[in-house]
């Protein structure tokens, strides 16, 4: 049987790429990661494989590209079914897809507004961000993970964005733990998982990246 | 036990229509409940507390929301006439195009038709670029789904029907011309003539 070729066009700070890396690790699928230079010049392969968005992550399975991070995680779950990330029943799957969609549409944009704004706008951004996290706490309920019984699809979609929380806390002068203790507990629980512990980037480094990015874009 | 299926929607919404198309394609009997978006019902707010939007599918009392999530749920629950391909790669491709339509195309198309005069030219150009991408994706196929309509065709109903209606209402072919987009226009003809779609065209009020 010929060896499978699994490649990920990656960027270390990207929570979108991290979702894919965690999913692959949870499935025990080896892959070749290729770090893209997003500021210096995107690779030919990236531009060819994702011509519409020209963004990472791009997942290449035996040369065939899959784009959009949550879509990639879904593909990985269906291609390597064990252990399953989504529950078996359609209703549970629909619930998980709903929360994945909610997280994708809300968390990163709301959090990033905190370091992009000042004064009154920053306070509004903080309030909106915390409100979104509280809604996630509602989804978590009394469970240990977003997945019905165990770490699963929604946990993999959500945990990468938490690597940026330290940066938001620094710029917003607040702590997520003070407002969302349940979510904080969930974050700590996820960090005990081997895949998350070894793959989540150092939040200090992400904070430094945000500082650099702000400077680069003239945000004061 | 008979399935109880209800759909909270709005007749004019492409998002609620796309769910109806999927249900009809699968031969699922359902009750349609028209919502007044200026005065949302208690039931709607109860079943979709997070977004408070239509469509909401209620299956044996359990709510499913967000039209793309609903379409996947329908496909997984009622197996006849599949909307998504079986192969994981083809499925991922279909999901990619569905998201592209919802997140890029429709906002751009809406902008093109609602922009003020000085901004309209730029908005139309941006929308044209996106339609060109769709045109290229269709090339050679009868439908986005191949020989039969699939997820992407159902999601593209805004283009399939509403775009033509909007252009007619405005009295001119602003954007979607046969000359510029021959393949997409042919797709619209096939789409509109597809029987399941025919029964689901809102009348041109």
């Amino acid at each position: 049987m010929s060896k499978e070729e699994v490649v990920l066009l990656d960027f270390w700070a990207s929570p979108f790429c991290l979702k894919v890396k965690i999913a692959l690790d949870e499935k025990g699928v080896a892959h070749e990661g290729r770090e893209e230079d997003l500021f210096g010049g995107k690779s030919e392969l990236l531009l060819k494989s994702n011509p519409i968005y020209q963004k990472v992550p791009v997942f290449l399975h035996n040369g065939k590209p899959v784009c959009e991070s949550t879509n990639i995680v879904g593909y990985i779950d269906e291609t390597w079914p064990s252990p399953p990330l989504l529950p078996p029943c359609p209703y549970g799957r629909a619930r998980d897809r709903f929360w994945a969609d909610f997280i994708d549409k809300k968390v990163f944009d709301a959090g990033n507004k905190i370091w992009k704004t000042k004064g009154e706008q920053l306070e509004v951004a903080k309030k909106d961000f915390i409100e979104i996290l509280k809604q996630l706490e509602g989804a978590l309920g009394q469970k240990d993970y977003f997945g019905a019984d165990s770490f699963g699809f929604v946990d993999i979609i959500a945990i990468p964005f938490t690597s940026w929380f330290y940066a938001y806390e620094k710029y917003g002068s607040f702590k997520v733990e003070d407002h969302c203790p349940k979510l904080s507990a969930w974050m700590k629980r996820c960090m005990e998982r081997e895949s998350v512990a070894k793959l989540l980037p150092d939040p200090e480094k992400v904070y430094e990246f945000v500082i650099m990015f702000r400077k680069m874009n003239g945000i004061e | 036990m008979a399935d109880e299926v209800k759909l909270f929607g709005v007749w004019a919404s492409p998002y609620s229509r796309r769910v109806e198309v999927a249900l009809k394609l699968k031969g699922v009997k359902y009750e349609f409940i028209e919502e007044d978006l200026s005065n949302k019902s208690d039931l709607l707010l109860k079943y979709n507390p997070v977004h408070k939007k239509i469509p909401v599918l209620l299956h044996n009392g359990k709510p499913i929301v967000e039209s793309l999530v609903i379409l996947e749920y329908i496909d997984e629950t009622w197996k006849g006439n599949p909307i998504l391909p079986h192969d994981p790669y083809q499925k991922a491709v279909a999901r990619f195009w569905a998201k592209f339509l919802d997140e890029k195309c429709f906002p751009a198309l809406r902008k093109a038709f609602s922009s003020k005069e000085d901004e309209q030219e730029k908005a139309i150009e941006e929308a044209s670029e996106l339609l060109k991408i769709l045109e290229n994706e269709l090339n050679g196929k009868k439908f986005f789904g191949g020989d039969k309509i699939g997820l992407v065709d159902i999601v593209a109903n805004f283009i399939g029907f509403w775009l033509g209606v909007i252009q007619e209402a405005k009295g001119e072919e602003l954007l979607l011309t046969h000359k510029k987009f021959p393949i997409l226009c042919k797709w619209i003809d096939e789409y509109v003539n597809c029987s399941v779609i025919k029964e689901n065209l809102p009348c041109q009020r």
Side-chain angles (χ1 to χ4, degrees), chain A residues 59 64-68 70-76 78-79, chain B residues 72 84-100 151-152:
Chain A
F59 186 70
K64 296 203 287 195
V66 182
C67 306
E68 292 296 283
T70 299
N71 193 22
I72 297 170
V73 174
Y75 174 78
I76 288 168
E78 287 167 6
T79 304
Chain B
E72 293 236 18
L84 276 164
H86 187 69
D87 170 63
Y89 184 74
Q90 294 306 326
K91 222 186 259 194
V93 170
R95 285 170 177 152
F96 173 85
W97 287 107
K99 270 197 91 190
F100 171 73
L151 179 77
V152 183

Side-chain angles (χ1 to χ4, degrees), chain A residues 28-72:
Chain A
V29 176
H31 76 278
E32 179 199 339
R34 295 187 201 169
E35 186 79 5
E36 285 283 330
D37 182 358
L38 297 182
F39 305 105
K42 294 173 181 175
S43 73
E44 275 297 313
L45 184 60
L46 174 59
L47 300 176
K48 187 180 99 179
S49 308
N50 191 359
I52 293 177
Y53 298 107
Q54 300 187 354
K55 282 185 180 177
V56 289
V58 174
F59 186 70
L60 292 138
H61 187 200
N62 296 327
K64 296 203 287 195
V66 182
C67 306
E68 292 296 283
S69 60
T70 299
N71 193 22
I72 297 170

